[in-house]
Amino acid sequence: MNTLNIGDQAIALDKDGFLVDLQDWSHAAAEALAEREGIPLTADHWEILVLLRQFYEEYQLSPATRPLIKYTALKLGPEKGNSPHLNRLFNGTPAKLAAKLAGLPKPTNCI
């Protein structure tokens, strides 16, 4: 099993690098996960991560790409709720990578 070390805390990750225990998520965990992916988190990234956590709280699942785009457009407007914007932020795999950084389970339809 993989681990993510933050200070003196070792956080368990599954084989795909997602948190085993969703309660382990924190801003520091998101930063460390993003660093592993080579992504410096900006305010735009954080906006989507917070939104994803709201989606999960509401629906108890991580959205696939289309629902993520629709939900983002609904909450943040069409200039942010579109494929090019999300793909640019999350290296072409917005649903999977954003869920990972937000400390959520891998969306069920992602490989």
Side-chain angles (χ1 to χ4, degrees), residues 18 49 52 62-63 94-107:
F18 287 78
L49 298 182
L52 257 175
S62 298
K96 184 177 179 182
L97 186 53
K100 181 187 288 187
L101 301 184
L104 303 177
K106 183 166 66 169

Side-chain angles (χ1 to χ4, degrees), residues 57-104:
E57 223 173 84
E58 196 172 331
Y59 299 105
Q60 300 303 298
L61 58 94
S62 298
T65 301
R66 281 190 180 174
L68 172 60
I69 291 168
K70 284 181 115 167
Y71 192 77
T72 304
L74 179 70
K75 300 290 186 178
L76 302 177
E79 66 282 350
K80 294 185 179 182
N82 60 69
S83 290
H85 177 71
L86 295 173
N87 283 325
R88 185 174 63 254
L89 290 176
F90 298 102
N91 295 339
T93 58
K96 184 177 179 182
L97 186 53
K100 181 187 288 187
L101 301 184
L104 303 177

Side-chain angles (χ1 to χ4, degrees), residues 15-89:
K15 66 179 177 55
D16 296 317
F18 287 78
L19 297 182
V20 170
D21 183 349
L22 304 185
Q23 300 302 313
D24 285 335
W25 188 85
S26 65
H27 284 262
E31 292 281 358
L33 288 166
E35 190 177 311
R36 288 179 124 193
E37 298 290 337
I39 297 174
L41 293 180
T42 65
D44 285 339
H45 290 95
W46 281 110
E47 193 172 45
I48 302 302
L49 298 182
V50 168
L51 192 70
L52 257 175
R53 292 186 64 81
Q54 289 172 357
F55 184 98
Y56 188 82
E57 223 173 84
E58 196 172 331
Y59 299 105
Q60 300 303 298
L61 58 94
S62 298
T65 301
R66 281 190 180 174
L68 172 60
I69 291 168
K70 284 181 115 167
Y71 192 77
T72 304
L74 179 70
K75 300 290 186 178
L76 302 177
E79 66 282 350
K80 294 185 179 182
N82 60 69
S83 290
H85 177 71
L86 295 173
N87 283 325
R88 185 174 63 254
L89 290 176

